[in-house]
């Protein structure tokens, strides 16, 4: 949810679902705050589109201050209310926790999936204290096996080094370049 909207506890939310018409009055949703793993169940009392967002009024959320507590939360549809997906499609929440394999070699596990950084969602993969940003792009994807909790990919050479910390040599070169510019 991106912001409060109105005075009666409404919130405006970006819809990431491919089926936006699925949202309806009485529907139960789960709100997952960014800083917690504890979900809160909410019932939709009213909803309407507004400037590319979906405005939601939840039962029991009746003031701006109560709505502010929801801002930043991710709304999730409970598993029991999910639509059947076409073959080859996956729910983002099912990818979290999966191992990412690059040509058979495990590079880490998916901690989060981010949207808005480009055409493809970005898998945030962590392994041994390192974090990798991996585009979940069809061009790199070989397959997803949710039962085995694996995402198999063929990543371009050097992609995993994009966010790598600088080596000592790179730090020296960077410092020398900064001195030359003075």
């Amino acid at each position: 949810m991106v912001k409060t909207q109105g005075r009666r506890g409404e919130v405006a939310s970006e819809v990431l679902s491919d089926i936006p018409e699925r949202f309806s009055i009485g529907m139960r949703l789960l709100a997952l705050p960014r800083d917690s793993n504890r979900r809160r169940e909410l019932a939709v009392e009213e909803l309407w589109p507004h400037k590319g967002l979906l405005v939601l009024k939840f039962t029991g959320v009746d003031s701006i201050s109560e709505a502010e507590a929801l801002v930043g939360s991710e709304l999730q549809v409970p598993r029991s209310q999910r639509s059947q997906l076409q073959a080859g499609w996956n729910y983002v929440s099912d990818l979290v926790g999966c191992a990412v394999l690059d040509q058979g070699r495990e590079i880490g596990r998916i901690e989060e999936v981010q949207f808005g950084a480009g055409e493809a969602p970005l898998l945030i993969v962590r392994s041994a204290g390192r974090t990798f940003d991996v585009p979940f792009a069809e061009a790199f994807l070989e397959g997803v096996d949710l039962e085995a909790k694996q995402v198999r990919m063929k990543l371009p050479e050097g992609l995993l080094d994009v966010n790598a910390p600088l080596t000592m040599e790179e730090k020296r070169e960077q410092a020398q370049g900064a001195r030359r510019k003075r």
Side-chain angles (χ1 to χ4, degrees):
M1 293 178 263
V2 295
K3 64 178 186 167
T4 60
Q5 181 76 37
R7 298 180 304 212
R8 298 182 310 118
E10 301 95 336
V11 290
S13 184
E14 184 179 10
V15 178
L16 301 176
S17 173
D18 290 332
I19 314 164
E21 61 276 3
R22 74 177 324 156
F23 299 99
S24 62
I25 293 173
M27 181 179 201
R28 297 203 171 281
L29 297 170
L30 301 172
L32 177 64
R34 283 189 190 168
D35 57 355
S36 170
N37 287 333
R38 194 164 182 198
R39 291 176 176 86
R40 175 179 174 187
E41 186 174 308
L42 300 166
V44 177
E45 186 176 306
E46 295 179 57
L47 71 152
W48 62 92
H50 180 70
K51 296 184 180 180
L53 300 172
L54 183 63
V55 177
L56 298 156
K57 166 70 177 88
F58 297 109
T59 304
V61 179
D62 299 315
S63 69
I64 293 174
S65 60
E66 290 173 321
E68 283 174 345
L70 297 173
V71 172
S73 296
E74 176 183 312
L75 277 179
Q76 300 174 339
V77 175
R79 287 186 190 276
S80 62
Q81 294 183 25
R82 286 182 173 180
S83 299
Q84 269 308 90
L85 296 178
Q86 300 172 17
W89 288 78
N90 300 287
Y91 282 101
V92 169
S93 59
D94 290 340
L95 298 175
V96 174
C98 287
V100 176
L101 306 175
D102 179 23
Q103 301 178 55
R105 180 181 62 95
E106 184 173 328
I107 59 170
R109 295 208 170 263
I110 300 169
E111 280 195 347
E112 180 183 355
V113 181
Q114 294 179 351
F115 292 86
E119 290 286 320
L122 203 56
L123 304 177
I124 308 304
V125 180
R126 186 172 302 267
S127 175
R130 288 190 65 193
T131 302
F132 303 101
D133 297 343
V134 178
F136 190 59
E138 204 170 321
F140 307 149
L141 187 63
E142 291 184 330
V144 175
D145 183 345
L146 293 178
E147 285 186 27
K149 301 285 286 171
Q150 293 182 342
V151 175
R152 294 181 310 281
M153 305 187 88
K154 184 175 183 180
L155 300 174
E157 191 171 322
L159 179 77
L160 297 177
D161 297 325
V162 170
N163 291 338
L166 297 175
T167 64
M168 289 306 289
E169 184 178 326
E170 289 169 327
K171 287 180 183 178
R172 280 193 293 273
E173 288 174 10
Q174 196 175 53
Q176 287 174 351
R179 279 188 232 122
R180 283 188 213 121
K181 289 181 183 178
R182 290 184 193 170

